[in-house]
Coordinates of all heavy atoms in Angstrom, one line a residue:
F656 N 51.7 -17.1 -4.2 CA 51.1 -16.5 -3.0 C 49.6 -16.2 -3.1 O 48.8 -16.4 -2.2 CB 51.9 -15.2 -2.6 CG 51.2 -14.4 -1.7 CD1 51.0 -14.7 -0.3 CD2 50.6 -13.1 -2.1 CE1 50.3 -13.9 0.6 CE2 50.0 -12.3 -1.2 CZ 49.8 -12.7 0.1
R657 N 49.2 -15.7 -4.3 CA 47.8 -15.4 -4.6 C 47.0 -16.6 -4.5 O 45.9 -16.6 -3.9 CB 47.7 -14.7 -5.9 CG 48.3 -13.4 -6.1 CD 47.6 -12.3 -5.3 NE 48.3 -11.0 -5.6 CZ 48.3 -10.0 -4.7 NH1 47.7 -10.1 -3.6 NH2 48.8 -8.8 -5.0
E658 N 47.5 -17.7 -5.0 CA 46.7 -19.0 -4.9 C 46.6 -19.5 -3.5 O 45.5 -19.9 -3.0 CB 47.4 -20.1 -5.8 CG 47.3 -19.8 -7.3 CD 47.8 -21.0 -8.1 OE1 48.1 -22.0 -7.5 OE2 48.0 -20.8 -9.3
L659 N 47.7 -19.4 -2.7 CA 47.7 -19.8 -1.3 C 46.8 -18.9 -0.5 O 46.1 -19.4 0.4 CB 49.1 -19.9 -0.8 CG 50.1 -21.0 -1.3 CD1 51.5 -20.7 -0.8 CD2 49.5 -22.3 -0.9
E660 N 46.8 -17.7 -0.8 CA 46.0 -16.7 -0.1 C 44.5 -17.0 -0.2 O 43.8 -16.9 0.8 CB 46.3 -15.3 -0.5 CG 45.7 -14.2 0.3 CD 46.0 -12.8 -0.2 OE1 46.0 -12.7 -1.5 OE2 46.1 -11.9 0.6
S661 N 44.1 -17.3 -1.4 CA 42.7 -17.7 -1.6 C 42.3 -19.0 -1.0 O 41.2 -19.2 -0.5 CB 42.4 -17.8 -3.1 OG 43.2 -18.7 -3.7
F662 N 43.3 -19.9 -0.9 CA 43.1 -21.2 -0.3 C 43.1 -21.1 1.3 O 42.4 -21.9 1.9 CB 44.2 -22.2 -0.7 CG 44.2 -23.5 0.1 CD1 43.3 -24.5 -0.2 CD2 45.2 -23.7 1.0 CE1 43.3 -25.7 0.6 CE2 45.2 -24.9 1.8 CZ 44.3 -25.9 1.5
M663 N 43.8 -20.2 1.8 CA 44.0 -20.0 3.2 C 42.7 -19.8 3.9 O 42.5 -20.2 5.1 CB 45.0 -18.9 3.5 CG 45.4 -18.7 4.9 SD 46.6 -17.4 5.1 CE 45.6 -16.0 4.5
Q664 N 41.8 -19.1 3.3 CA 40.5 -18.7 4.0 C 39.7 -19.9 4.3 O 38.8 -19.9 5.1 CB 39.7 -17.7 3.1 CG 39.4 -18.2 1.8 CD 38.7 -17.1 0.9 OE1 38.0 -16.3 1.4 NE2 39.0 -17.2 -0.4
F665 N 39.9 -21.1 3.6 CA 39.2 -22.3 3.9 C 39.9 -23.3 4.8 O 39.4 -24.2 5.3 CB 38.9 -23.1 2.6 CG 38.1 -22.2 1.6 CD1 38.7 -21.7 0.5 CD2 36.8 -21.9 1.8 CE1 38.0 -20.9 -0.4 CE2 36.1 -21.1 0.9 CZ 36.7 -20.6 -0.2
A666 N 41.2 -23.0 5.1 CA 42.0 -23.9 5.9 C 42.2 -23.3 7.3 O 42.4 -22.1 7.5 CB 43.4 -24.1 5.2
Q667 N 42.2 -24.2 8.2 CA 42.3 -23.8 9.6 C 43.8 -24.0 10.1 O 44.3 -23.1 10.7 CB 41.4 -24.7 10.5 CG 39.9 -24.4 10.3 CD 39.1 -25.3 11.2 OE1 39.5 -26.2 11.9 NE2 37.8 -25.0 11.2
D668 N 44.4 -25.1 9.8 CA 45.8 -25.4 10.2 C 46.7 -25.4 8.9 O 46.3 -26.2 8.0 CB 45.9 -26.7 11.0 CG 45.1 -26.6 12.3 OD1 45.1 -25.5 12.9 OD2 44.5 -27.6 12.7
L669 N 47.8 -24.7 9.0 CA 48.7 -24.7 7.8 C 50.0 -25.3 8.3 O 50.5 -25.1 9.4 CB 48.9 -23.3 7.3 CG 47.7 -22.6 6.7 CD1 48.0 -21.1 6.4 CD2 47.2 -23.3 5.5
D670 N 50.7 -26.1 7.4 CA 52.0 -26.6 7.7 C 53.0 -25.4 7.7 O 52.7 -24.4 7.2 CB 52.4 -27.7 6.8 CG 52.5 -27.2 5.3 OD1 53.5 -26.7 4.9 OD2 51.4 -27.3 4.6
K671 N 54.1 -25.7 8.3 CA 55.1 -24.6 8.5 C 55.6 -24.0 7.2 O 55.7 -22.8 7.1 CB 56.3 -25.2 9.3 CG 57.4 -24.1 9.6 CD 58.5 -24.7 10.4 CE 59.6 -23.7 10.7 NZ 60.7 -24.2 11.5
A672 N 55.9 -24.9 6.2 CA 56.4 -24.4 4.9 C 55.4 -23.5 4.2 O 55.7 -22.4 3.7 CB 56.7 -25.6 4.0
T673 N 54.1 -23.9 4.3 CA 53.0 -23.1 3.6 C 52.9 -21.7 4.4 O 52.7 -20.7 3.7 CB 51.7 -23.8 3.6 OG1 51.9 -25.1 2.9 CG2 50.6 -23.0 2.9
A674 N 52.9 -21.8 5.7 CA 52.8 -20.6 6.5 C 53.9 -19.6 6.2 O 53.7 -18.4 6.0 CB 52.7 -20.9 8.0
E675 N 55.1 -20.1 6.1 CA 56.3 -19.3 5.8 C 56.2 -18.7 4.4 O 56.5 -17.5 4.2 CB 57.6 -20.1 5.9 CG 58.0 -20.5 7.3 CD 59.2 -21.3 7.3 OE1 59.7 -21.7 6.3 OE2 59.7 -21.5 8.5
R676 N 55.7 -19.5 3.4 CA 55.5 -18.9 2.1 C 54.5 -17.8 2.0 O 54.7 -16.8 1.3 CB 55.1 -20.1 1.1 CG 55.0 -19.6 -0.3 CD 54.8 -20.8 -1.3 NE 56.1 -21.6 -1.4 CZ 56.2 -22.6 -2.2 NH1 55.2 -23.1 -2.9 NH2 57.4 -23.3 -2.2
I677 N 53.4 -18.0 2.8 CA 52.4 -16.9 2.8 C 52.9 -15.7 3.5 O 52.7 -14.6 3.0 CB 51.1 -17.5 3.6 CG1 50.4 -18.5 2.7 CG2 50.2 -16.3 3.9 CD1 49.2 -19.2 3.4
E678 N 53.7 -15.8 4.6 CA 54.3 -14.7 5.2 C 55.3 -14.0 4.3 O 55.3 -12.7 4.2 CB 55.0 -15.1 6.5 CG 54.0 -15.5 7.6 CD 53.1 -14.3 8.0 OE1 53.7 -13.2 8.3 OE2 51.9 -14.5 8.1
S679 N 56.1 -14.7 3.6 CA 57.0 -14.2 2.6 C 56.3 -13.4 1.5 O 56.7 -12.3 1.1 CB 57.9 -15.3 2.0 OG 58.7 -14.8 1.0
G680 N 55.2 -14.0 1.0 CA 54.4 -13.4 0.0 C 53.8 -12.0 0.4 O 53.7 -11.1 -0.3
R681 N 53.3 -12.0 1.7 CA 52.7 -10.8 2.2 C 53.8 -9.7 2.3 O 53.5 -8.5 2.0 CB 52.2 -11.0 3.6 CG 50.8 -11.8 3.6 CD 50.4 -12.1 5.0 NE 49.1 -12.7 5.0 CZ 48.5 -13.3 6.1 NH1 49.2 -13.3 7.2 NH2 47.3 -13.8 6.0
R682 N 55.0 -10.0 2.6 CA 56.0 -9.0 2.7 C 56.4 -8.5 1.3 O 56.7 -7.4 1.1 CB 57.3 -9.6 3.4 CG 57.1 -9.6 4.9 CD 58.1 -10.4 5.6 NE 58.0 -10.3 7.1 CZ 57.1 -11.0 7.8 NH1 56.3 -11.9 7.2 NH2 57.0 -10.9 9.1
M683 N 56.4 -9.5 0.3 CA 56.7 -9.1 -1.0 C 55.6 -8.1 -1.6 O 56.0 -7.2 -2.3 CB 56.8 -10.3 -1.9 CG 57.3 -10.0 -3.3 SD 59.0 -9.4 -3.3 CE 59.9 -10.8 -2.8
V684 N 54.4 -8.4 -1.3 CA 53.3 -7.5 -1.7 C 53.6 -6.1 -1.1 O 53.4 -5.1 -1.8 CB 51.9 -8.0 -1.2 CG1 50.8 -6.9 -1.4 CG2 51.6 -9.3 -2.0
E685 N 54.0 -6.0 0.2 CA 54.3 -4.7 0.8 C 55.4 -4.0 0.1 O 55.4 -2.8 -0.1 CB 54.6 -4.9 2.3 CG 53.4 -5.3 3.1 CD 52.3 -4.2 3.1 OE1 52.7 -3.0 3.3 OE2 51.1 -4.6 3.0
V686 N 56.5 -4.8 -0.3 CA 57.6 -4.2 -1.0 C 57.2 -3.6 -2.3 O 57.7 -2.6 -2.7 CB 58.7 -5.2 -1.2 CG1 59.8 -4.7 -2.1 CG2 59.4 -5.6 0.2
L687 N 56.3 -4.3 -3.0 CA 55.9 -3.8 -4.3 C 54.8 -2.7 -4.3 O 54.5 -2.1 -5.4 CB 55.3 -5.0 -5.1 CG 56.3 -6.1 -5.5 CD1 55.6 -7.3 -6.2 CD2 57.4 -5.6 -6.4
K688 N 54.3 -2.4 -3.1 CA 53.4 -1.2 -3.0 C 54.2 0.1 -3.3 O 55.4 0.2 -2.9 CB 52.8 -1.2 -1.7 CG 51.7 -2.2 -1.5 CD 51.0 -2.0 -0.1 CE 49.9 -3.0 0.1 NZ 49.3 -2.9 1.5
Q689 N 53.5 1.0 -3.9 CA 54.2 2.3 -4.2 C 53.3 3.4 -4.2 O 52.1 3.3 -4.7 CB 54.8 2.1 -5.6 CG 56.1 3.0 -5.9 CD 56.9 2.5 -7.0 OE1 56.9 1.3 -7.3 NE2 57.6 3.4 -7.7
A690 N 53.7 4.6 -3.7 CA 52.8 5.7 -3.6 C 52.7 6.4 -5.0 O 53.5 6.3 -5.8 CB 53.4 6.8 -2.6
N691 N 51.5 7.1 -5.2 CA 51.3 7.8 -6.4 C 52.3 8.9 -6.6 O 52.7 9.6 -5.6 CB 49.9 8.4 -6.4 CG 48.8 7.3 -6.4 OD1 49.1 6.1 -6.6 ND2 47.6 7.7 -6.2
G692 N 52.7 9.1 -7.8 CA 53.6 10.2 -8.1 C 55.0 10.1 -7.6 O 55.7 11.0 -7.4
A693 N 55.4 8.8 -7.2 CA 56.7 8.6 -6.6 C 57.4 7.4 -7.4 O 57.7 6.4 -6.8 CB 56.6 8.3 -5.2
P694 N 57.7 7.6 -8.7 CA 58.4 6.5 -9.4 C 59.9 6.4 -8.8 O 60.5 7.4 -8.4 CB 58.5 7.0 -10.8 CG 58.3 8.5 -10.7 CD 57.4 8.7 -9.5
M695 N 60.4 5.2 -8.8 CA 61.7 4.9 -8.2 C 62.7 4.6 -9.3 O 62.4 3.8 -10.3 CB 61.5 3.6 -7.4 CG 62.8 3.2 -6.6 SD 62.6 1.8 -5.5 CE 61.7 2.6 -4.2
P696 N 63.9 5.3 -9.3 CA 64.9 5.0 -10.3 C 65.3 3.6 -10.4 O 65.2 2.8 -9.4 CB 66.1 5.9 -9.8 CG 65.5 6.9 -8.9 CD 64.3 6.3 -8.3
F697 N 65.8 3.2 -11.5 CA 66.1 1.8 -11.8 C 67.0 1.2 -10.8 O 66.8 0.1 -10.3 CB 66.7 1.7 -13.2 CG 67.6 0.5 -13.5 CD1 67.1 -0.8 -13.6 CD2 69.0 0.7 -13.5 CE1 68.0 -1.8 -13.8 CE2 69.8 -0.3 -13.8 CZ 69.3 -1.6 -13.9
E698 N 68.1 1.9 -10.5 CA 69.1 1.3 -9.6 C 68.6 1.1 -8.1 O 68.9 0.2 -7.4 CB 70.4 2.2 -9.5 CG 70.1 3.6 -9.0 CD 69.7 4.6 -10.1 OE1 69.3 4.1 -11.2 OE2 69.7 5.8 -9.9
A699 N 67.6 2.0 -7.7 CA 67.0 1.9 -6.4 C 66.1 0.7 -6.4 O 66.0 -0.1 -5.4 CB 66.3 3.1 -6.0
Q700 N 65.4 0.4 -7.5 CA 64.5 -0.8 -7.6 C 65.3 -2.0 -7.4 O 64.9 -3.0 -6.7 CB 63.8 -0.8 -8.9 CG 62.8 0.3 -9.1 CD 62.0 0.1 -10.4 OE1 61.6 -1.0 -10.7 NE2 62.0 1.1 -11.2
V701 N 66.5 -2.1 -8.1 CA 67.3 -3.3 -8.0 C 67.8 -3.6 -6.6 O 67.7 -4.7 -6.1 CB 68.6 -3.1 -8.9 CG1 69.6 -4.3 -8.7 CG2 68.1 -3.1 -10.4
V702 N 68.2 -2.5 -5.8 CA 68.6 -2.7 -4.5 C 67.4 -3.2 -3.6 O 67.6 -4.2 -2.8 CB 69.2 -1.4 -3.9 CG1 69.4 -1.5 -2.4 CG2 70.5 -1.1 -4.6
V703 N 66.3 -2.6 -3.7 CA 65.1 -3.0 -2.9 C 64.7 -4.4 -3.2 O 64.4 -5.2 -2.3 CB 64.0 -2.0 -3.1 CG1 62.7 -2.6 -2.5 CG2 64.3 -0.7 -2.5
L704 N 64.6 -4.8 -4.5 CA 64.2 -6.1 -4.8 C 65.2 -7.2 -4.5 O 64.9 -8.3 -4.1 CB 63.9 -6.2 -6.4 CG 62.7 -5.4 -6.8 CD1 62.5 -5.4 -8.3 CD2 61.4 -5.9 -6.2

Side-chain angles (χ1 to χ4, degrees):
F656 164 69
R657 295 290 182 208
E658 290 185 11
L659 290 173
E660 188 182 35
S661 60
F662 169 75
M663 185 180 61
Q664 58 185 326
F665 302 107
Q667 295 180 350
D668 297 322
L669 297 173
D670 60 90
K671 183 178 179 182
T673 303
E675 288 179 353
R676 182 170 290 182
I677 289 175
E678 288 299 309
S679 175
R681 284 175 173 169
R682 285 169 174 80
M683 188 61 71
V684 169
E685 289 297 314
V686 168
L687 292 176
K688 286 182 180 180
Q689 206 161 332
N691 294 348
M695 182 177 287
F697 153 75
E698 61 274 14
Q700 292 185 50
V701 172
V702 170
V703 169
L704 293 175

